[in-house]
């Protein structure tokens, strides 16, 4: 009996289904990979968006115009806002201030000095108005506080002079120098006297 022939079309290859499935997976692989990348991209975008967004700038402090700052500083200085102005009780002397004037340093005896001159008859006397210029404000105050001793020293000195001693500019210059030396001794402060002025002089006889 002849062997039964099998139809080639009816013969099935066991590896055919596996090959077909492999081809199908190859076709789906790009789609799957694309879907995975899309999901990963979306997730990364969600987490990275805050980091990549521009940071908000801190608010900038408002700067006042320079004219306004200068005006306020000037106003504060005019109303005594500096140290030692309103609360110090006395004005603060300015650095390098002007020196006292000659008028402020000048002291004059309250009344003219009348002295009997050294004369045998005792009938000659002199009447003088004297001003003293101090070398400083402190010396001026010292002179005023010692008016009586200075007046006494003046009378004692002139009472030992004769009329001839006081004649002419030379005699008056000598009297100035001697008075200055006497005044320094009374005050106990050398060079406190700057100058001496004779503003009135009258020699009389009785």
């Amino acid at each position: 009996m002849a062997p039964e022939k099998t139809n080639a079309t009816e013969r099935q290859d066991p590896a055919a289904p596996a090959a077909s499935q492999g081809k199908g997976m190859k076709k789906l692989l790009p789609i799957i990979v694309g879907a995975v990348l899309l999901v990963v991209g979306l997730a990364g975008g969600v987490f990275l968006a805050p980091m990549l967004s521009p940071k908000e700038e801190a608010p900038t402090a408002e700067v006042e115009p320079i004219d306004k700052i200068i005006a306020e500083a000037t106003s504060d200085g005019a109303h005594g806002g500096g140290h030692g102005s309103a609360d110090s009780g006395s004005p603060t002397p300015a650095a390098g201030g002007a020196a006292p004037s000659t008028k402020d340093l000048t002291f004059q005896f309250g009344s003219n000095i009348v002295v009997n001159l050294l004369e045998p008859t005792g009938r000659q006397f002199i009447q003088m108005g004297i001003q003293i210029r101090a070398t400083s404000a402190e010396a001026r105050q010292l002179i005023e506080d010692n008016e009586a001793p200075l007046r006494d020293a003046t009378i004692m000195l002139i009472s030992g002079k004769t009329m001839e001693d006081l004649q002419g500019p030379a005699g008056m210059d000598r009297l100035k120098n001697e008075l200055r030396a006497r005044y320094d001794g009374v005050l106990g402060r050398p060079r406190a006297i700057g100058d001496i002025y004779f503003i009135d002089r009258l020699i009389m006889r009785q």
Side-chain angles (χ1 to χ4, degrees):
M1 183 178 185
E4 184 180 354
K5 295 182 179 180
T6 304
N7 191 354
T9 57
E10 295 179 355
R11 188 181 301 169
Q12 295 183 354
D13 190 352
S20 176
Q21 292 180 358
K23 292 180 180 180
M25 290 299 295
K26 290 181 180 180
K27 292 181 180 181
L28 294 176
L29 184 60
I31 299 175
I32 295 173
V33 172
V36 172
L37 292 178
L38 178 61
V39 173
V40 173
L42 292 176
V46 172
F47 288 102
L48 293 178
M51 300 176 61
L52 298 177
S53 61
K55 296 182 179 180
E56 295 184 0
E57 296 183 356
T60 303
E62 183 179 356
V63 180
E64 295 185 359
I66 188 63
D67 296 340
K68 182 178 180 181
I69 296 175
I70 295 175
E72 291 178 355
T74 305
S75 176
D76 292 342
H79 289 82
H83 295 289
S85 56
D87 298 333
S88 62
S90 60
T92 303
S101 64
T102 302
K103 182 179 179 181
D104 295 335
L105 296 177
T106 301
F107 170 81
Q108 182 174 345
F109 288 114
S111 60
N112 288 350
I113 294 178
V114 181
V115 183
N116 288 330
L117 295 176
L118 184 61
E119 199 267 334
T121 64
R123 303 183 64 177
Q124 290 182 340
F125 61 92
I126 185 172
Q127 176 178 306
M128 300 183 68
I130 299 177
Q131 284 186 350
I132 304 171
R133 180 173 62 81
T135 54
S136 66
E138 293 79 9
R140 166 65 174 75
Q141 186 62 48
L142 186 62
I143 292 170
E144 183 176 352
D145 294 342
N146 290 273
E147 179 179 1
L150 293 174
R151 190 180 184 93
D152 178 71
T154 303
I155 294 174
M156 294 297 292
L157 178 63
I158 297 178
S159 63
K161 301 292 183 182
T162 64
M163 184 176 293
E164 288 74 16
D165 292 335
L166 303 177
Q167 292 295 322
M172 298 306 293
D173 284 341
R174 282 194 300 269
L175 179 61
K176 281 188 177 184
N177 293 332
E178 292 175 3
L179 284 174
R180 184 183 290 108
R182 290 286 183 96
Y183 292 167
D184 285 345
V186 171
L187 299 174
R189 180 173 176 175
R191 295 182 294 277
I193 307 300
D195 205 348
I196 298 174
Y197 308 108
F198 299 136
I199 60 174
D200 188 19
R201 186 177 74 118
L202 179 61
I203 299 178
M204 297 175 289
R205 292 176 182 269
Q206 289 182 344

